[in-house]
Every structure is written in C-alpha cells, then in structure tokens.
Amino acid sequence: MERHFIKTLDDLKMTLLNMAALTQRAIEKATQAYLNRDEGLAQAVIEGDREVNNLELKVDQIALKLLALEQPMARDLRFILGTTKISNELERIADQAVNIAERTLFLCQHPPLDHIPAMDRLIEVVKSMLDTAITSFVEENTQKAIKLRQMDDIADKYTLEVLQVLIANMVQSTPATEKRIVNARRSVQTIIISRCLERAGDLATNIGEHVAFIVEAINIKHQKVDFDQS
Amino acid sequence: MENAPKLTARQLNFYYGKFKALEEISITINRNQVTALIGPSGCGKSTFLRCLNRMNDLIPGTRVEGDIRLDGEDIYDSNIDVVSLRRRVGMVFQKPNPFPKTIFENVAYGLRVNGIKDKKILKDRVEKALKQSALWDEVKNRINESALGLSGGQQQRLCIARALAVEPDVLLMDEPASALDPIATQKIEDLIHELKNNFTIIIVTHSMQQAARVSDITAFFYMGKLIETGDTETLFTRPALKQTEDYITGRFG
Ligand SMILES: Nc1ncnc2c1ncn2[C@@H]1O[C@H](COP(=O)(O)OP(=O)(O)OP(=O)(O)O)[C@@H](O)[C@H]1O
Ligand SMILES: [Mg+2]
C-alpha cells in the first residue's frame, strides 16, 4: 500500500505542474495576443488568472498540511519548501501575462507600431526560459536550472534593444503634436510589455534556483557562475 | 584538553556469542555536545550505548574488539575500575525505574554505593541533582515520600537526578522519553539542552524529530554499522548518503 504521505506529495507535485501548465499557456496566449493584436485572446488571459491564483492557494494548503502533519525531513522537506517558492514565482509570471494582455488591449486601440525584431526574439527567449524552468523541475535537472541564468542574460539584452528602438522611435517621430503623443503612448506601453517579459524571465530563473535547492540542497541564488560564451 | 574528544570508538566490533551486533564502529563524541543515535530497531544502538560504560560486561557470552577511549583512556584496559567508569558514564533507561524507596534515597543511592556517608554532603548533592534535573520545585516538600508516587515524567527526571548525583561526565540515555506524554517529553528535552552545558550526552531515540530537536550531532546506525554521522541540521536537511535519506524520509526497505 502506498503511504499516505507519498500520495500527498504527489498531489502537491501535480498541483504545481497544473499551475505551471496554466502559467505557460498564459504567457503563450498573452504574447500571441500582442503579436496578432488579438483583443479576445488578451481578454481571455486576464480572465484566466484567477485559476492560477487558486492553484497557488492549493499548493500552499497542501504544503502547510504536509509540514504540520508529517514532519518531513531531508529531500521531502526541501521539496515542499521548494514547491511553495516555485508556485509563488509562477503566480507572479502569470501576473506578467495579465499585464502584457492589458497593454495589448491598449495597443489594439491604436494603429500598430513598426515591427520590432528584438521583441520577437525576447518573446521566444522568455517562452523557452519558462519551458526550461518547468522541465528542470520535472526532470529534477540542475544543469537546466543553471542554464537559465545564461538565457536570462540574453533576455536582458533583447529587452534593452527593444527599449533603444522605441526611444529612437519616439525621438524621431512626426512633429504633429497629437500624433506624437499617441506614438509616445504606444511606445511606452510596448516598453512595459518588454519589461514584463524580462521580469517573467527573471522569475523563471528563480524557479531554476529552487529546483537546484530541491535536488542538490545547494543555493545557486547569489553565487556567480562563469558561463562559457559558446 | 578542552577541545579533545570526550569519547572515541575505533573499529569497534561487538559480539553476542557468535552474533556480531556491531561492526567496525568508529565515532568521535565531543564534550558538551548531545549526540543522537538513530536507526531501525535491532540496528545496535542500545548495544553501542552499553559498550560505552561496559554494561554489556554483565551479559554472558559477549565480546568486544577495537577500542573505546574516555578522555583518551582505554576503558577496556585491565586497569580500569568498572565501578568508577560507570560513575563517570551514567545511564538513564527507557522506562523510569525508581526503587521503592523515598525520593531522597533514590537520588542518594549512587552516592551511598560510592561510600559517601556524610549527611550534609548527601543532602547537598541530592538537592543539586534534583535541581539539575528540573524536579526540585516539584518534590522539595515531599522528599521523604515514596518515589513510586511520582508521575511517569517525574519518575524519569528522578532517574536522571539519580544518574547526575554521582557527578558523571557523560550521560547515556536510551530512549528516555519514549514512555512519556508530550509535555513530560518536552521537559526532558529542555532538560537535555540545559544539561549539555555540564555533561556530554548520548541519546538513543526512535523519534527523528526528537533527535533533530535535542542533538548537535546525529549518528545513523543500520544493521550493526554506523552509516553516517554529521551535524544534526545537515543530516536532517541534506544527508550525504541515500541510505540515510531513505531512512529519515521513511522510505526504508
Ligand atoms: N542480550 C542479547 N543477546 C543476544 N543478542 C542480543 C542481545 N541484545 C541485543 N541483541 C541483538 O543485537 C542486535 C542489536 O540490538 P540492540 O538492542 O542493540 O538494537 P537497538 O538498535 O537498540 O534496537 P531497538 O531500537 O529495538 O531498541 C539485535 O539483533 C538484537 O537482537
Ligand atoms: Mg534499544
């Protein structure tokens, strides 16, 4: 017979994975909505957030119960602490998706800006970071967790690029005042979107750190890692 | 001397007849620390504990190999006086075992065995031991009543007082709280924290939580072998060996 404790641990893991899937979908949909100027999809992201919040509460609930009733030790203890931290990161990533969706709703009210290639790349990197973070948890793979920090540097680079493109755009834009204000507004909202993505990437990196803590009981959070730049 | 280990076991083997109950145990026990021995039933915790004050000598057909040193001195050396060894290394058992005598006489017992007759000294030492075992306030007005009238938790602290009265250096405790309710258990645990300032304590416990709460060092035994020793926090949060991990997370066998 399977121990009740192990079953509850599985339950905790499943709830977290469920939450991870929803969060990943929220980022996917939010970026899709932005790229395609799809108001309906943006609206769906905003409405879907409640489900992620509920799952976060459920993770906390199960974790608290396990801590109080089972006095877990060693890896079990780290796993339970780790899942609560990861669920917190996921919840905040989902909030970034909501923020992106809200900016998108604004942008849809105005004619589109010129295409920004750095934004496409940023979206790709951040989605792939989220994917890597979740896989590192599922596979208990610390290597992937460490790789996230490298990806994070790339995300930062693209975020800066988006900012530079948009500042240049604001400075050079047409002299007509009304148009100029609209242009600045669109640009600022788009910069906020890039910031949200960058933030989501940071949070995904944190998830990797929690995975390293669960798997190897090491703290990679504040230690410098030398990446070979290949 | 201050930093020298209190007790060391080196390549200790122990036999009950042909059965080898302990195999190649090497461990260093520091003074003024609490060391917890954990492991599944029958792994040799009590046997090891009894080696440390030669209580196993009382069991016929037993044999020891390797050495155990107390303050650097081989306790199995033929020059060692076993009575004085047991005074230096006191023991408290799982079930409180007060004698059917007064509270005072229970605590004074070891002192009398050691030839102390002076009334004033006896009185002082009994009082001191009862204070050290955090029982004094509860019994000071009934010191001449039977010890059998005490609660289980009080009886256990009385036995601790009895062990402390002879002023040992080391206190061996074999599941001292397993027969007690949570409040009495907590008192014993608080007491252990107090006592380690003056004594070196080795405690056997089946409660991982208890080991985690009271000890500085934890040693995990399995099938007569010492598998892993480490500082308690590390052992319970990130043990080095999978066997230890499996045991403390309840995934054994
Ligand atoms: N007096 C004895 N004669 C023969 N074998 C013994 C004797 N005492 C203990 N043993 C054996 O030695 C092994 C270790 O026993 P010990 O009592 O030291 O285990 P333990 O770890 O204290 O177990 P528990 O947690 O159940 O108290 C066991 O296999 C036990 O059967
Ligand atoms: Mg025993």
Side-chain angles (χ1 to χ4, degrees):
Chain A
M1 198 182 75
E2 203 180 4
R3 278 178 60 212
H4 177 68
F5 173 60
I6 306 287
K7 259 193 223 156
T8 317
L9 269 187
D10 280 348
D11 195 18
L12 178 63
K13 186 173 185 173
M14 288 320 294
T15 309
L16 190 74
L17 288 178
N18 214 330
M19 195 180 164
L22 283 183
T23 304
Q24 203 169 8
R25 209 176 312 149
I27 286 287
E28 174 65 43
K29 280 186 186 165
T31 50
Q32 200 71 30
Y34 161 75
L35 291 171
N36 299 339
R37 300 169 60 77
D38 183 337
E39 285 180 78
L41 198 54
Q43 204 61 53
V45 171
I46 294 165
E47 279 154 22
D49 193 46
R50 201 186 316 133
E51 217 175 329
V52 176
N53 292 344
N54 287 341
L55 284 174
E56 191 200 14
L57 293 179
K58 192 173 166 203
V59 166
D60 282 355
Q61 214 172 39
I62 302 173
L64 194 64
K65 185 171 122 191
L66 283 167
L67 289 174
L69 303 184
E70 305 280 356
Q71 286 102 29
M73 292 285 192
R75 194 196 177 102
D76 294 336
L77 181 57
R78 300 199 306 270
F79 181 83
I80 295 165
L81 285 182
T83 50
T84 62
K85 289 182 168 188
I86 291 173
S87 86
N88 186 246
E89 310 290 359
L90 287 170
E91 192 267 336
R92 290 156 77 191
I93 292 172
D95 284 348
Q96 302 307 315
V98 169
N99 203 337
I100 293 169
E102 287 166 351
R103 306 302 125 205
T104 297
L105 289 180
F106 174 91
L107 289 172
C108 289
Q109 310 302 312
H110 303 282
L113 286 164
D114 286 345
H115 177 234
I116 311 165
M119 192 65 138
D120 297 352
R121 295 198 192 101
L122 178 59
I123 289 171
E124 281 320 305
V125 175
V126 170
K127 284 198 309 200
S128 135
M129 285 178 79
L130 192 50
D131 194 57
T132 305
I134 294 166
T135 334
S136 82
F137 174 74
V138 174
E139 296 173 358
E140 306 189 336
N141 183 329
T142 317
Q143 269 341 90
K144 287 204 167 117
I146 291 173
K147 188 169 162 232
L148 278 163
R149 299 173 81 189
Q150 203 172 0
M151 298 168 88
D152 197 38
D153 288 345
I154 300 171
D156 289 351
K157 196 187 98 192
Y158 290 138
T159 308
L160 186 63
E161 226 174 288
V162 171
L163 182 66
Q164 285 163 344
V165 169
L166 288 166
I167 288 175
N169 174 52
M170 284 189 272
V171 172
Q172 292 157 9
S173 68
T174 105
T177 334
E178 188 53 32
K179 261 190 166 174
R180 195 166 190 165
I181 289 170
V182 169
N183 190 46
R185 281 194 182 136
R186 290 182 307 180
S187 299
V188 167
Q189 295 297 318
T190 310
I191 288 166
I192 293 174
I193 289 179
S194 75
R195 282 287 165 210
C196 290
L197 288 164
E198 188 245 24
R199 188 81 194 108
D202 287 347
L203 298 167
T205 308
N206 292 350
I207 292 178
E209 290 162 0
H210 303 321
V211 170
F213 169 74
I214 293 173
V215 178
E216 312 207 17
I218 51 167
N219 205 328
I220 59 172
K221 193 167 284 184
H222 303 296
Q223 87 198 20
K224 288 254 178 293
V225 178
D226 280 328
F227 304 117
D228 53 315
Q229 294 296 320
S230 59
Chain B
M1 204 58 198
E2 278 302 292
N3 295 319
K6 187 71 203 174
L7 268 168
T8 55
R10 288 288 164 264
Q11 275 145 21
L12 183 77
N13 293 314
F14 185 86
Y15 301 84
Y16 292 103
K18 289 206 170 104
F19 175 67
K20 194 176 194 179
L22 294 175
E23 205 172 325
E24 297 285 306
I25 306 290
S26 294
I27 187 170
T28 300
I29 288 163
N30 296 320
R31 63 190 65 230
N32 296 23
Q33 282 198 331
V34 179
T35 302
L37 311 182
I38 61 167
S41 192
C43 68
K45 305 178 296 291
S46 298
T47 301
F48 178 70
L49 207 63
R50 289 195 302 264
C51 285
L52 300 176
N53 67 349
R54 293 184 56 174
M55 289 285 271
N56 287 324
D57 292 13
L58 307 173
I59 305 169
T62 60
R63 187 158 60 85
V64 184
E65 292 168 358
D67 79 5
I68 296 182
R69 289 173 187 275
L70 175 64
D71 291 323
E73 198 180 1
D74 182 355
I75 67 166
Y76 283 90
D77 191 278
S78 52
N79 295 326
I80 287 282
D81 169 19
V82 177
V83 174
S84 89
L85 170 71
R86 291 192 192 132
R87 191 192 62 68
R88 286 166 70 197
V89 184
M91 191 151 186
V92 176
F93 300 89
Q94 177 174 11
K95 278 216 201 95
N97 53 346
F99 309 131
K101 294 183 176 187
T102 65
I103 293 168
F104 183 90
E105 282 308 322
N106 263 276
V107 182
Y109 174 81
L111 299 168
R112 292 198 196 279
V113 168
N114 279 279
I116 296 174
K117 296 199 181 74
D118 186 304
K119 285 235 169 65
K120 172 89 171 70
I121 295 179
L122 283 174
K123 191 171 163 288
D124 287 351
R125 296 275 286 272
V126 167
E127 182 173 332
K128 184 178 172 202
L130 284 168
K131 281 181 174 159
Q132 281 178 318
S133 69
L135 191 58
W136 177 248
D137 287 339
E138 290 160 65
V139 302
K140 63 183 175 207
N141 297 324
R142 49 198 275 212
I143 199 94
N144 291 316
E145 290 174 24
S146 168
L148 302 179
L150 297 172
S151 74
Q154 289 172 329
Q155 288 185 3
Q156 190 61 303
R157 278 178 287 145
L158 181 75
C159 294
I160 293 172
R162 191 167 66 198
L164 296 179
V166 298
E167 303 188 328
D169 301 351
V170 178
L171 200 56
L172 308 176
M173 305 177 117
D174 198 345
E175 301 185 48
S178 65
L180 305 181
D181 72 34
I183 292 171
T185 298
Q186 196 187 331
K187 282 206 172 128
I188 299 285
E189 291 180 2
D190 290 342
L191 182 58
I192 291 172
H193 279 291
E194 273 303 307
L195 291 176
K196 77 170 178 189
N197 296 317
N198 300 308
F199 304 91
T200 301
I201 297 172
I202 304 165
I203 177 175
V204 170
T205 173
H206 272 287
S207 158
M208 235 95 66
Q209 282 68 38
Q210 181 166 74
R213 285 192 298 262
V214 303
S215 72
D216 303 294
I217 302 290
T218 297
F220 169 54
F221 282 70
Y222 181 55
M223 287 179 41
K225 295 198 180 105
L226 175 59
I227 306 296
E228 183 173 347
T229 316
D231 74 72
T232 296
E233 191 185 328
T234 309
L235 196 117
F236 284 115
T237 53
R238 45 194 151 91
L241 300 177
K242 183 163 186 310
Q243 241 176 341
T244 315
E245 172 98 37
D246 286 349
Y247 180 70
I248 64 177
T249 59
R251 288 179 179 77
F252 221 62

Coordinates of all heavy atoms in Angstrom, one line a residue, chain A residues 3 5-6 9 71 73-78 217, chain B residues 208-209 212 236-239 245 248-251:
Chain A
R3 N 2.2 4.8 0.8 CA 2.0 5.6 2.0 C 1.2 6.9 1.7 O 1.4 7.5 0.7 CB 3.4 6.0 2.6 CG 4.0 4.9 3.4 CD 5.4 5.4 3.9 NE 5.3 6.6 4.6 CZ 6.2 7.6 4.7 NH1 7.3 7.4 3.9 NH2 6.1 8.6 5.4
F5 N 1.5 9.7 2.9 CA 2.5 10.8 2.8 C 2.9 11.0 1.3 O 2.9 12.1 0.8 CB 3.6 10.6 3.7 CG 4.8 11.6 3.6 CD1 4.5 13.0 3.8 CD2 6.0 11.2 3.2 CE1 5.5 13.9 3.6 CE2 7.1 12.1 3.1 CZ 6.8 13.5 3.3
I6 N 3.3 9.9 0.7 CA 3.8 9.9 -0.6 C 2.7 10.3 -1.6 O 3.0 11.1 -2.5 CB 4.4 8.5 -1.0 CG1 5.4 8.0 0.0 CG2 5.0 8.5 -2.5 CD1 6.7 8.6 -0.1
L9 N 2.4 14.0 -1.3 CA 3.5 14.7 -2.0 C 3.2 14.7 -3.5 O 3.5 15.7 -4.2 CB 4.8 13.9 -1.8 CG 5.7 14.3 -0.6 CD1 7.0 13.5 -0.7 CD2 6.0 15.8 -0.5
Q71 N 5.9 16.1 9.5 CA 7.3 16.5 9.9 C 8.3 15.9 8.9 O 9.1 15.1 9.2 CB 7.6 15.9 11.3 CG 7.0 16.7 12.4 CD 5.7 16.0 12.9 OE1 5.6 14.8 12.9 NE2 4.8 16.7 13.5
M73 N 11.4 15.3 6.3 CA 12.9 15.5 6.5 C 13.6 15.6 5.2 O 13.0 15.1 4.2 CB 13.4 14.3 7.3 CG 13.0 14.3 8.7 SD 13.8 15.5 9.7 CE 13.4 14.9 11.3
A74 N 14.8 16.0 5.2 CA 15.7 16.0 4.1 C 15.1 16.4 2.8 O 14.5 17.5 2.7 CB 16.3 14.6 4.0
R75 N 15.2 15.6 1.7 CA 14.7 16.0 0.4 C 13.2 16.3 0.4 O 12.8 17.2 -0.3 CB 15.0 14.8 -0.6 CG 14.8 15.3 -2.0 CD 14.7 14.1 -2.9 NE 14.5 14.5 -4.2 CZ 15.4 14.6 -5.1 NH1 16.6 14.2 -4.9 NH2 15.2 15.0 -6.3
D76 N 12.4 15.5 1.2 CA 11.0 15.8 1.2 C 10.7 17.3 1.8 O 9.9 18.0 1.2 CB 10.3 14.8 2.2 CG 10.3 13.4 1.6 OD1 10.5 13.3 0.4 OD2 10.2 12.5 2.4
L77 N 11.5 17.6 2.7 CA 11.4 18.9 3.3 C 11.7 20.0 2.3 O 11.0 21.0 2.1 CB 12.3 19.0 4.6 CG 12.3 20.3 5.4 CD1 10.9 20.7 5.8 CD2 13.2 20.2 6.5
R78 N 12.9 19.7 1.6 CA 13.3 20.7 0.6 C 12.3 20.8 -0.5 O 12.0 21.8 -1.1 CB 14.7 20.3 0.0 CG 15.8 20.3 1.1 CD 17.1 20.3 0.4 NE 17.3 19.3 -0.6 CZ 17.8 18.1 -0.4 NH1 18.2 17.7 0.8 NH2 17.9 17.3 -1.4
A217 N 20.3 20.4 -2.8 CA 20.5 21.1 -1.5 C 21.5 22.2 -1.6 O 22.2 22.5 -0.6 CB 20.8 20.2 -0.4
Chain B
M208 N 12.7 10.8 15.2 CA 13.6 11.6 14.4 C 13.5 13.0 14.8 O 14.4 13.8 14.8 CB 13.2 11.5 12.9 CG 14.4 11.0 12.1 SD 14.4 9.3 11.8 CE 12.9 9.0 10.9
Q209 N 12.2 13.4 15.1 CA 12.0 14.8 15.5 C 12.7 15.1 16.8 O 13.3 16.2 17.0 CB 10.5 15.1 15.6 CG 9.8 15.2 14.3 CD 9.7 14.0 13.5 OE1 9.6 12.9 14.0 NE2 9.9 14.1 12.2
A212 N 16.3 15.5 16.1 CA 16.5 16.8 15.5 C 16.4 18.0 16.5 O 17.2 18.9 16.4 CB 15.5 17.0 14.3
F236 N 19.7 16.1 8.7 CA 18.2 16.0 8.5 C 17.8 16.9 7.3 O 16.6 16.8 6.9 CB 17.5 16.4 9.8 CG 17.5 15.3 10.8 CD1 18.1 15.5 12.0 CD2 16.8 14.1 10.5 CE1 18.1 14.5 13.0 CE2 16.8 13.1 11.5 CZ 17.5 13.3 12.7
T237 N 18.6 17.8 6.8 CA 18.2 18.5 5.7 C 18.9 18.1 4.4 O 18.3 18.1 3.3 CB 18.5 20.1 5.8 OG1 19.8 20.2 6.2 CG2 17.6 20.6 6.9
R238 N 20.1 17.7 4.5 CA 20.8 17.1 3.3 C 21.8 16.1 3.6 O 23.0 16.3 3.6 CB 21.4 18.2 2.4 CG 22.2 19.2 3.2 CD 22.5 20.5 2.4 NE 22.6 21.6 3.4 CZ 23.8 22.0 3.9 NH1 24.9 21.4 3.7 NH2 23.8 23.0 4.8
P239 N 21.3 14.9 4.0 CA 22.2 13.8 4.3 C 23.1 13.4 3.1 O 22.7 13.7 2.0 CB 21.3 12.7 4.7 CG 20.0 13.0 4.0 CD 19.9 14.5 4.0
E245 N 19.1 9.1 3.8 CA 18.0 9.8 3.2 C 16.7 8.9 3.3 O 15.7 9.3 3.7 CB 18.3 10.2 1.8 CG 17.2 10.8 1.0 CD 17.2 12.3 1.0 OE1 18.3 12.9 0.9 OE2 16.1 12.9 1.0
I248 N 15.5 8.5 7.0 CA 14.9 9.6 7.7 C 13.6 10.1 6.9 O 12.8 10.8 7.5 CB 15.8 10.8 7.9 CG1 16.4 11.4 6.6 CG2 17.0 10.4 8.8 CD1 17.3 12.6 6.9
T249 N 13.5 9.8 5.7 CA 12.2 10.2 5.0 C 11.2 9.0 5.0 O 10.2 9.1 4.3 CB 12.5 10.6 3.5 OG1 13.1 9.5 2.8 CG2 13.4 11.8 3.5
G250 N 11.5 8.0 5.7 CA 10.6 6.9 5.8 C 10.4 6.0 4.6 O 9.3 5.5 4.3
R251 N 11.4 5.9 3.8 CA 11.3 5.1 2.5 C 12.2 3.9 2.6 O 12.9 3.5 1.7 CB 11.7 5.9 1.3 CG 10.7 7.0 1.0 CD 11.2 7.8 -0.3 NE 10.2 8.8 -0.7 CZ 10.1 9.9 -0.1 NH1 10.8 10.2 1.0 NH2 9.2 10.8 -0.5

